[in-house]
Amino acid sequence: MIFPKIRVLRSHGKQYIPDLDAVELTSEFRGRPVLTDTPDRADLERAVAICPTGAIVPAPFSLDLGRCIFCGECARRAPHNIRFTNDYRIGAPTRERLVMRPGQPRVEFDPAAVRPEIRKCFGRALQLREVSAGGDASVEMELGATGNVNFDLGRFGIGFTASPRHADGVVVSGPISANMAEALDICYEAVAEPKIVVACGTDACSGGLLAGSRALNRSFLDRHRVDLWLPGAPTHPMIFIDGIRTLLGHKQRE
């Protein structure tokens, strides 16, 4: 009975990732963009015109990762101006850091923007309550994948819990619909102080394709400080893992 299982394991190869800091995603993955300003802006103007979320601003040239849905159409329309890399290190402690500009080599993660109590209280263990506030389940599935055999985020003492009373913070996914606004507030209030807030996914960061809709109520983000902004549509497990570990001081972004 054991030999068929061994054959399956050998055919699948090693699933467990020994060193998450050394992970390199496939070249097809769309992560941090590289922007190049050129005198001829015709292609860039076409890319701006088709961007469904208004993530691209032509003058001064910038691309807001908090609005980007990573469809890649802009890179196809303006290949000399926009190129996506496979760099998943795109989370930031402030919303402003998600705006990319020409010549910017990486998404900056300013340690000074992290509240001191976060690393003092949660540097060795962190439990989070995920709230799908009108999401489409894509980000939620990726967050679930962070704890699977491949990524095993639990090895760092980081995981998700079912009850906000057992949690140290809230991970918000989805654009925050009006129907979920009160439930999100109730969940947040149930978490003991000090607590952290993570906005996970483009929908959570900006509203995404639904930004400006009357069906949304994003006042939660105006009333509470967000400690970590994680773009992505959906957010890849490595984006979340890198962002949360950098927030906790487990690693530094080079």
Side-chain angles (χ1 to χ4, degrees):
M1 293 296 293
I2 190 64
F3 293 109
K5 298 185 185 334
I6 293 176
R7 282 197 296 270
V8 170
L9 289 174
R10 290 187 63 182
S11 67
H12 284 190
K14 182 189 294 184
Q15 291 181 279
Y16 174 71
I17 303 172
D19 185 2
L20 288 176
D21 294 334
V23 170
E24 182 175 350
L25 299 182
T26 172
S27 59
E28 296 180 358
F29 172 76
R30 297 188 192 106
R32 174 181 56 83
V34 174
L35 308 185
T36 304
D37 214 346
T38 57
D40 184 359
R41 287 175 165 254
D43 288 344
L44 179 58
E45 293 292 346
R46 283 192 283 269
V48 171
I50 65 169
C51 181
T53 59
I56 309 171
V57 176
F61 184 22
S62 65
L63 192 156
D64 186 352
L65 295 181
R67 294 189 177 196
C68 181
I69 60 172
F70 296 85
C71 65
E73 285 300 318
C74 58
R76 284 186 279 271
R77 296 295 180 99
H80 298 294
N81 302 106
I82 303 171
R83 176 177 62 87
F84 284 93
T85 71
N86 63 345
D87 183 7
Y88 54 82
R89 301 169 182 85
I90 56 177
T94 60
R95 179 68 178 84
E96 294 75 18
R97 294 290 186 179
L98 297 185
V99 179
M100 300 293 296
R101 296 178 174 83
Q104 188 172 334
R106 62 183 178 274
V107 176
E108 299 288 344
F109 198 105
D110 184 9
V114 179
R115 291 183 290 136
E117 58 266 31
I118 290 179
R119 295 181 175 181
K120 178 181 178 181
C121 296
F122 309 129
R124 299 183 65 180
L126 177 69
Q127 289 296 303
L128 298 165
R129 176 67 170 94
E130 193 270 326
V131 178
S132 178
D136 61 3
S138 60
V139 172
E140 293 80 358
M141 286 191 292
E142 297 297 288
L143 289 175
T146 61
N148 67 18
V149 68
N150 300 81
F151 302 102
D152 188 23
L153 182 59
R155 74 180 93 171
F156 302 110
I158 305 169
F160 292 91
T161 182
S163 171
R165 297 191 183 279
H166 298 160
D168 304 306
V170 176
V171 178
V172 183
S173 61
I176 312 183
S177 64
N179 288 342
M180 280 298 298
E182 183 180 3
L184 178 58
D185 281 330
I186 292 172
C187 179
Y188 176 84
E189 294 300 331
V191 179
E193 296 284 356
K195 48 192 166 188
I196 71 173
V197 176
V198 178
C200 191
T202 295
D203 284 351
C205 290
S206 66
L209 292 169
L210 298 175
S213 169
R214 291 178 297 174
L216 302 186
N217 180 355
R218 295 175 56 80
S219 62
F220 176 87
L221 300 180
D222 298 325
R223 290 180 279 108
H224 304 293
R225 173 173 176 170
V226 176
D227 297 292
L228 182 62
W229 299 85
L230 298 172
T235 303
H236 191 280
M238 284 307 305
I239 297 177
F240 181 83
I241 292 170
D242 172 78
I244 203 73
R245 292 189 62 220
T246 307
L247 179 73
L248 297 178
H250 292 181
K251 57 185 294 189
Q252 294 182 349
R253 187 167 297 169
E254 300 297 334

